[in-house]
Amino acid sequence: MISERTNQIGVSPTLKITSKAKAMKAEGIDIIDLSVGEPDFPTPENIKQAGKKAIDENFTKYTENEGIPTLKEAIITRLKEDLGISYSMDEIIVSSGAKSSLYHLIQVLINEDEEVIILAPYWVTYPHAVSLAKGKALIIPTKEENDFLLSPDQLKSAISPATKAIILNNPSNPTGAAYKKHQLEALADIILEEDIYVIADEIYEKLIFDNFSFTSFAALGEDIKKKTIIINGVSKAYSMTGWRIGYAAGPAEIINGMAKIQSHSTSNACSISQKASLEALTGPQYEVSKMVSEFQRRRNYGLMRLQAIPDISCFKPQGAFYLFPNFSSYYEKEFGGIQIRNSYGMAYYLLNEAKVAIVPGDAFGADNYIRISYATSMENLEKGMDRIIQALSQLKAAKKVRRVALNNTITRVKKLVPVEADINLKMRDALVAEVENLLSYENYFEWNANINGVVVQLRTNISHLNDFWIENWYPAQLEADLEPHGIIYAVDDIKGREPRSFYNSETKTGILINTDNYGPCRSLALNLVMDVSERLFNVHAIRGMSADIKGNGLILIGPPGTKKTELFFSLLQDKIFRLHASDIIFTRHAGGFSSADCAERKFYLPTNTVETFPPFAKLFDHSKCENVITRKEDCQNMDCLRQDDCRLDRGSPYCYKASKEAQAMLDPYWIDGPAKHTKRTTLRWMFILRYDSVSPPIAKLEIEDALRILESGQSLGISKSLSSSKNQPFFNPHLLSSTAEQMELHSKFFQHLLENTSCYLFNSGVASADELKKIVLGESQIK
Ligand code: PMP
């Protein structure tokens, strides 16, 4: 299991698009790649020769940790001659790429919870580098109309006592914006006043157009130099991305800290690359100017093409090799009935339709934009622009009223609410009086449900709950003289009250306050029904998933995290199994048998069941749904977010996998017709689930052992984060009240059930549905 910290780091989106483009290329598709962040020029010959010479001279061993002295001296000379800043040897460190310098620097500088100001659009690595150091990234947006520059006022208001540093990328990836000297000075005044550090990422310093005069932040004066750490390297200016040489220049104390970290992470940067970089910095510089003038030509060309596209704006970059046009007016449009929606949608559209790879602006914290790199040949840029323009012209205005088939209700309350399951009569009466006040004629819904023979009346002012209630259960007569066994009040809009659930056993009354989610309403109803039917009919409810095989039933019981749903639905893929119940199974014992009933007309299923059973998606499309995610921003599926296959990005108006809280009311007969579902079975097997990688796959349980596990409801072998915080007796979260008398009744019931069934402890971390099938088929001799 990887750490939570790692879990939260997304793969670089540039990498995602580039690797998808590469995979398409490998399939023989002619892709134009405008997503790359490296010059297309070869490393100049003299630099390559220096590398070769280093190998020939066996300069292939560890070097000084902070870099070879000659290279550090060359860096000092460049900083002095090109930028007018003086550094000593202990103020320079050479690393494996500028990225590595940056990472070490942030580790040295930032304590837990200290803030680092990052300007959006930002280079994708900054926020992650900060969060890996347990710092907090404070993202401050800059605007196209302000040339993507930070104003002194913005800086001032962003700084708080928690601020430790600001990252200033000048010129910027992805916008190409660069600061003039006076603009930097205005920022420097504030930085000195507030005493924060500046991480000056100046890696594109040499790639500057239109005779723009570049000023390094550290060149603004001796005082600001003490607060500035320059990050730079040879990757971009000398077309040496793969050689991995970067450096940092700053106060000796900080550089020394970086050296300590480096000594334990990468050690010295590659010896051969250091020699080659020495040549890059000390040898002839005309290749750099050649490259810059070629980039300027391409920038001008790209800008000219973009300016000709209707409804697109593009800032004129002063440096780097990217164009960052605003494409948002095309997000409203659609192709083949699918709306673009956002920068990811645009990136996928351009990749699939135009066969051009670009990077979505969202990766840089600016979703209205896309990044086009012109660090590719002019020929590619021309072709790429042709294709982009052609693809944009194919987009049509999306229909104003888009019919989304989904019948989805977003509720305010998403999950379980606190329960007080044994309120006294006085409190019950007071609560009923309070809620009845709000149940006037208008907006009042009442419906009697027949839940396994127990009549429960729902009284509510929440139409969504009424809808789901009617779908979930079979109806009972709704007549004035029919006395329900119990009543559930579910009332919203009560001022000053938190969402909460109450139950009074004496009067069989449930009261749900300010809770518009169906889950708590259903649980309250099930608790009521269990309370009634245990006492009146000696019928008990088991929380689990059950299937039938030729009249013989098996039931899976287990806490969250034991992969019950996955196991259940993979079992059901075999035609021999029929679906019985998905959550609650009403069971009675008679004549040595335990017969089990499914009381639900429709199943309240989490929509992420589609992950194990994709055909459900089609069925959910026609079902009533609750809290299905419709916007990427709301997606909570971390695994999915890390992958490169988002439905919402591809223009889908909803995603069933994006949240664990999304539910649908699925008619079990829709799954595969009447042959696949049965309402009644006779229980023969019980599988109590555990989930770990070491315990035996399957162990037969004696009655006492099984009963002990069930009574304690303790999760076996599941990590704390997955198991519910509280043990649930009988693994049944619908048992809201648990008096000693009820627990006694339950234990007796399960004792009896265990006598009528074979019970196994099943480790779903090791064993699969096939093993479970073998037991069932073997024992029953059913072939
Ligand atoms: N900073 C910025 C702004 C960059 O764009 C890049 C490369 N994409 C780097 C740092 C890292 O450069 P290096 O290859 O030296 O690690």
PDB file of all heavy atoms in Angstrom, residues 37 97-99 123 126 169 173 201 203-204 235-236 244-245 322, ligand 1:
ATOM      1  N   GLY A  37       8.011  19.718 -23.772  1.00  0.00           N
ATOM      2  CA  GLY A  37       8.652  20.843 -23.085  1.00  0.00           C
ATOM      3  C   GLY A  37      10.142  20.856 -23.303  1.00  0.00           C
ATOM      4  O   GLY A  37      10.897  21.198 -22.408  1.00  0.00           O
ATOM      5  N   GLY A  97      19.358  18.107 -12.870  1.00  0.00           N
ATOM      6  CA  GLY A  97      18.250  18.853 -13.462  1.00  0.00           C
ATOM      7  C   GLY A  97      17.773  19.941 -12.511  1.00  0.00           C
ATOM      8  O   GLY A  97      17.914  19.838 -11.283  1.00  0.00           O
ATOM      9  N   ALA A  98      17.185  20.990 -13.099  1.00  0.00           N
ATOM     10  CA  ALA A  98      16.660  22.090 -12.288  1.00  0.00           C
ATOM     11  C   ALA A  98      15.563  21.573 -11.363  1.00  0.00           C
ATOM     12  O   ALA A  98      15.375  22.059 -10.250  1.00  0.00           O
ATOM     13  CB  ALA A  98      16.123  23.183 -13.209  1.00  0.00           C
ATOM     14  N   LYS A  99      14.836  20.577 -11.825  1.00  0.00           N
ATOM     15  CA  LYS A  99      13.737  20.021 -11.038  1.00  0.00           C
ATOM     16  C   LYS A  99      14.259  19.482  -9.707  1.00  0.00           C
ATOM     17  O   LYS A  99      13.644  19.662  -8.664  1.00  0.00           O
ATOM     18  CB  LYS A  99      13.094  18.884 -11.843  1.00  0.00           C
ATOM     19  CG  LYS A  99      11.666  18.610 -11.471  1.00  0.00           C
ATOM     20  CD  LYS A  99      11.100  17.478 -12.308  1.00  0.00           C
ATOM     21  CE  LYS A  99      10.072  17.947 -13.294  1.00  0.00           C
ATOM     22  NZ  LYS A  99       9.390  16.893 -14.004  1.00  0.00           N
ATOM     23  N   TRP A 123       3.795  26.256 -13.459  1.00  0.00           N
ATOM     24  CA  TRP A 123       4.402  25.013 -13.955  1.00  0.00           C
ATOM     25  C   TRP A 123       3.913  23.887 -13.048  1.00  0.00           C
ATOM     26  O   TRP A 123       3.927  24.011 -11.823  1.00  0.00           O
ATOM     27  CB  TRP A 123       5.932  25.122 -13.949  1.00  0.00           C
ATOM     28  CG  TRP A 123       6.608  23.873 -14.431  1.00  0.00           C
ATOM     29  CD1 TRP A 123       6.268  23.128 -15.520  1.00  0.00           C
ATOM     30  CD2 TRP A 123       7.719  23.215 -13.832  1.00  0.00           C
ATOM     31  NE1 TRP A 123       7.096  22.057 -15.637  1.00  0.00           N
ATOM     32  CE2 TRP A 123       8.008  22.080 -14.613  1.00  0.00           C
ATOM     33  CE3 TRP A 123       8.514  23.477 -12.714  1.00  0.00           C
ATOM     34  CZ2 TRP A 123       9.045  21.196 -14.312  1.00  0.00           C
ATOM     35  CZ3 TRP A 123       9.544  22.611 -12.414  1.00  0.00           C
ATOM     36  CH2 TRP A 123       9.803  21.483 -13.213  1.00  0.00           C
ATOM     37  N   TYR A 126       5.233  22.709  -9.335  1.00  0.00           N
ATOM     38  CA  TYR A 126       5.341  23.526  -8.112  1.00  0.00           C
ATOM     39  C   TYR A 126       4.414  23.083  -6.973  1.00  0.00           C
ATOM     40  O   TYR A 126       4.880  22.849  -5.862  1.00  0.00           O
ATOM     41  CB  TYR A 126       5.101  25.012  -8.412  1.00  0.00           C
ATOM     42  CG  TYR A 126       6.085  25.657  -9.363  1.00  0.00           C
ATOM     43  CD1 TYR A 126       5.671  26.646 -10.251  1.00  0.00           C
ATOM     44  CD2 TYR A 126       7.431  25.292  -9.381  1.00  0.00           C
ATOM     45  CE1 TYR A 126       6.563  27.252 -11.131  1.00  0.00           C
ATOM     46  CE2 TYR A 126       8.324  25.886 -10.262  1.00  0.00           C
ATOM     47  CZ  TYR A 126       7.886  26.868 -11.135  1.00  0.00           C
ATOM     48  OH  TYR A 126       8.768  27.450 -11.992  1.00  0.00           O
ATOM     49  N   ASN A 169       8.403  32.305 -11.589  1.00  0.00           N
ATOM     50  CA  ASN A 169       8.955  31.666 -12.787  1.00  0.00           C
ATOM     51  C   ASN A 169       9.025  32.712 -13.891  1.00  0.00           C
ATOM     52  O   ASN A 169       8.009  33.143 -14.406  1.00  0.00           O
ATOM     53  CB  ASN A 169       8.041  30.490 -13.179  1.00  0.00           C
ATOM     54  CG  ASN A 169       8.531  29.740 -14.395  1.00  0.00           C
ATOM     55  OD1 ASN A 169       7.745  29.136 -15.107  1.00  0.00           O
ATOM     56  ND2 ASN A 169       9.818  29.767 -14.646  1.00  0.00           N
ATOM     57  N   ASN A 173       6.684  29.282 -17.797  1.00  0.00           N
ATOM     58  CA  ASN A 173       6.047  28.143 -18.440  1.00  0.00           C
ATOM     59  C   ASN A 173       4.730  27.992 -17.700  1.00  0.00           C
ATOM     60  O   ASN A 173       4.768  27.823 -16.480  1.00  0.00           O
ATOM     61  CB  ASN A 173       6.930  26.892 -18.247  1.00  0.00           C
ATOM     62  CG  ASN A 173       6.260  25.620 -18.706  1.00  0.00           C
ATOM     63  OD1 ASN A 173       5.200  25.642 -19.302  1.00  0.00           O
ATOM     64  ND2 ASN A 173       6.888  24.487 -18.397  1.00  0.00           N
ATOM     65  N   ASP A 201      12.716  30.798 -10.426  1.00  0.00           N
ATOM     66  CA  ASP A 201      12.960  29.774 -11.450  1.00  0.00           C
ATOM     67  C   ASP A 201      13.191  30.493 -12.775  1.00  0.00           C
ATOM     68  O   ASP A 201      12.261  30.964 -13.426  1.00  0.00           O
ATOM     69  CB  ASP A 201      11.748  28.827 -11.531  1.00  0.00           C
ATOM     70  CG  ASP A 201      11.978  27.699 -12.532  1.00  0.00           C
ATOM     71  OD1 ASP A 201      12.929  27.794 -13.338  1.00  0.00           O
ATOM     72  OD2 ASP A 201      11.195  26.737 -12.520  1.00  0.00           O
ATOM     73  N   ILE A 203      14.835  29.268 -15.506  1.00  0.00           N
ATOM     74  CA  ILE A 203      15.357  28.282 -16.447  1.00  0.00           C
ATOM     75  C   ILE A 203      15.209  28.719 -17.917  1.00  0.00           C
ATOM     76  O   ILE A 203      15.956  28.295 -18.775  1.00  0.00           O
ATOM     77  CB  ILE A 203      14.720  26.894 -16.214  1.00  0.00           C
ATOM     78  CG1 ILE A 203      15.424  25.809 -17.029  1.00  0.00           C
ATOM     79  CG2 ILE A 203      13.235  26.875 -16.532  1.00  0.00           C
ATOM     80  CD1 ILE A 203      15.922  24.671 -16.262  1.00  0.00           C
ATOM     81  N   TYR A 204      14.233  29.619 -18.182  1.00  0.00           N
ATOM     82  CA  TYR A 204      14.056  30.086 -19.571  1.00  0.00           C
ATOM     83  C   TYR A 204      14.735  31.434 -19.823  1.00  0.00           C
ATOM     84  O   TYR A 204      14.449  32.101 -20.810  1.00  0.00           O
ATOM     85  CB  TYR A 204      12.555  30.196 -19.904  1.00  0.00           C
ATOM     86  CG  TYR A 204      11.864  28.849 -19.916  1.00  0.00           C
ATOM     87  CD1 TYR A 204      11.118  28.419 -18.830  1.00  0.00           C
ATOM     88  CD2 TYR A 204      11.972  28.002 -21.019  1.00  0.00           C
ATOM     89  CE1 TYR A 204      10.492  27.177 -18.828  1.00  0.00           C
ATOM     90  CE2 TYR A 204      11.358  26.764 -21.030  1.00  0.00           C
ATOM     91  CZ  TYR A 204      10.622  26.358 -19.936  1.00  0.00           C
ATOM     92  OH  TYR A 204      10.016  25.129 -19.950  1.00  0.00           O
ATOM     93  N   SER A 235      19.128  22.585 -19.473  1.00  0.00           N
ATOM     94  CA  SER A 235      18.152  21.813 -20.259  1.00  0.00           C
ATOM     95  C   SER A 235      17.612  22.567 -21.459  1.00  0.00           C
ATOM     96  O   SER A 235      17.610  22.070 -22.576  1.00  0.00           O
ATOM     97  CB  SER A 235      16.961  21.424 -19.382  1.00  0.00           C
ATOM     98  OG  SER A 235      17.333  20.454 -18.461  1.00  0.00           O
ATOM     99  N   LYS A 236      17.131  23.789 -21.197  1.00  0.00           N
ATOM    100  CA  LYS A 236      16.376  24.486 -22.233  1.00  0.00           C
ATOM    101  C   LYS A 236      17.303  25.243 -23.185  1.00  0.00           C
ATOM    102  O   LYS A 236      17.198  25.120 -24.399  1.00  0.00           O
ATOM    103  CB  LYS A 236      15.375  25.462 -21.606  1.00  0.00           C
ATOM    104  CG  LYS A 236      14.565  24.880 -20.445  1.00  0.00           C
ATOM    105  CD  LYS A 236      13.505  23.902 -20.886  1.00  0.00           C
ATOM    106  CE  LYS A 236      12.851  23.268 -19.670  1.00  0.00           C
ATOM    107  NZ  LYS A 236      11.720  22.429 -19.949  1.00  0.00           N
ATOM    108  N   ARG A 244      20.329  16.097 -17.834  1.00  0.00           N
ATOM    109  CA  ARG A 244      19.914  16.320 -16.450  1.00  0.00           C
ATOM    110  C   ARG A 244      20.930  17.123 -15.639  1.00  0.00           C
ATOM    111  O   ARG A 244      21.486  16.624 -14.654  1.00  0.00           O
ATOM    112  CB  ARG A 244      19.606  14.988 -15.726  1.00  0.00           C
ATOM    113  CG  ARG A 244      18.671  14.036 -16.431  1.00  0.00           C
ATOM    114  CD  ARG A 244      17.328  14.643 -16.826  1.00  0.00           C
ATOM    115  NE  ARG A 244      16.579  15.214 -15.733  1.00  0.00           N
ATOM    116  CZ  ARG A 244      16.089  16.453 -15.760  1.00  0.00           C
ATOM    117  NH1 ARG A 244      16.278  17.250 -16.809  1.00  0.00           N
ATOM    118  NH2 ARG A 244      15.399  16.906 -14.751  1.00  0.00           N
ATOM    119  N   ILE A 245      21.151  18.356 -16.036  1.00  0.00           N
ATOM    120  CA  ILE A 245      21.978  19.240 -15.215  1.00  0.00           C
ATOM    121  C   ILE A 245      21.224  20.540 -14.941  1.00  0.00           C
ATOM    122  O   ILE A 245      20.804  21.242 -15.859  1.00  0.00           O
ATOM    123  CB  ILE A 245      23.337  19.576 -15.880  1.00  0.00           C
ATOM    124  CG1 ILE A 245      24.188  18.312 -16.058  1.00  0.00           C
ATOM    125  CG2 ILE A 245      24.115  20.621 -15.046  1.00  0.00           C
ATOM    126  CD1 ILE A 245      24.718  17.669 -14.782  1.00  0.00           C
ATOM    127  N   TYR A 322       6.352  28.446 -25.517  1.00  0.00           N
ATOM    128  CA  TYR A 322       4.959  28.004 -25.459  1.00  0.00           C
ATOM    129  C   TYR A 322       4.014  29.133 -25.840  1.00  0.00           C
ATOM    130  O   TYR A 322       4.286  30.308 -25.551  1.00  0.00           O
ATOM    131  CB  TYR A 322       4.600  27.558 -24.038  1.00  0.00           C
ATOM    132  CG  TYR A 322       5.575  26.601 -23.426  1.00  0.00           C
ATOM    133  CD1 TYR A 322       6.486  27.037 -22.450  1.00  0.00           C
ATOM    134  CD2 TYR A 322       5.589  25.260 -23.799  1.00  0.00           C
ATOM    135  CE1 TYR A 322       7.385  26.158 -21.867  1.00  0.00           C
ATOM    136  CE2 TYR A 322       6.497  24.374 -23.209  1.00  0.00           C
ATOM    137  CZ  TYR A 322       7.386  24.836 -22.245  1.00  0.00           C
ATOM    138  OH  TYR A 322       8.275  23.962 -21.673  1.00  0.00           O
TER     139      TYR A 322
HETATM  140  N1  PMP B   1      11.235  24.898 -14.316  1.00  0.00           N
HETATM  141  C1  PMP B   1      10.403  25.084 -15.346  1.00  0.00           C
HETATM  142  C2  PMP B   1       9.532  26.275 -15.372  1.00  0.00           C
HETATM  143  C3  PMP B   1      10.354  24.148 -16.382  1.00  0.00           C
HETATM  144  O1  PMP B   1       9.507  24.339 -17.419  1.00  0.00           O
HETATM  145  C4  PMP B   1      11.183  23.012 -16.343  1.00  0.00           C
HETATM  146  C5  PMP B   1      11.150  21.951 -17.421  1.00  0.00           C
HETATM  147  N2  PMP B   1       9.934  21.718 -18.008  1.00  0.00           N
HETATM  148  C6  PMP B   1      12.043  22.873 -15.235  1.00  0.00           C
HETATM  149  C7  PMP B   1      12.044  23.826 -14.244  1.00  0.00           C
HETATM  150  C8  PMP B   1      12.912  21.665 -15.043  1.00  0.00           C
HETATM  151  O2  PMP B   1      14.032  21.610 -15.865  1.00  0.00           O
HETATM  152  P1  PMP B   1      15.071  20.418 -15.801  1.00  0.00           P
HETATM  153  O3  PMP B   1      14.934  19.662 -17.085  1.00  0.00           O
HETATM  154  O4  PMP B   1      16.417  21.061 -15.686  1.00  0.00           O
HETATM  155  O5  PMP B   1      14.781  19.583 -14.613  1.00  0.00           O
END
